[in-house]
Amino acid sequence: MLICTGLGLITAIGAIDAALFLGSVSSTVMSAVLAFGAAALLYLVVEELLVEAYEERESVTLGAMFFLGFILSYALSAAGG
């Protein structure tokens, strides 16, 4: 319970710090920070999926569906915003 509470507090403190430090920056700096965060999360997800992909037999369908998911999420975000 203490570990979960500590992780939650660290997340809250990080969000408050980010709001204080990045609240008045230009849109260019904010875009760069958000792009870095998105790339870091994408790397973590892909790294985890690649580990799982090597545990199973790889097929063309598996690879196609993996990249189709990225393209679909990009298309939906571009259409919505």
Side-chain angles (χ1 to χ4, degrees):
M1 188 167 107
L2 290 175
I3 292 173
C4 291
T5 303
L7 290 174
L9 286 174
I10 289 172
T11 303
I13 291 169
I16 292 169
D17 286 346
L20 291 174
F21 291 124
L22 298 174
S24 61
V25 298
S26 68
S27 62
T28 304
V29 173
M30 185 62 78
S31 295
V33 169
L34 291 175
F36 177 78
L41 289 174
L42 188 60
Y43 172 76
L44 290 173
V45 168
V46 169
E47 182 184 18
E48 185 64 31
L49 287 175
L50 287 176
V51 169
E52 290 183 15
Y54 282 117
E55 292 175 359
E56 294 183 18
R57 190 175 150 253
E58 187 174 344
S59 67
V60 174
T61 306
L62 179 67
M65 296 304 284
F66 179 76
F67 287 107
L68 183 64
F70 282 122
I71 291 170
L72 183 63
S73 66
Y74 176 75
L76 288 175
S77 68

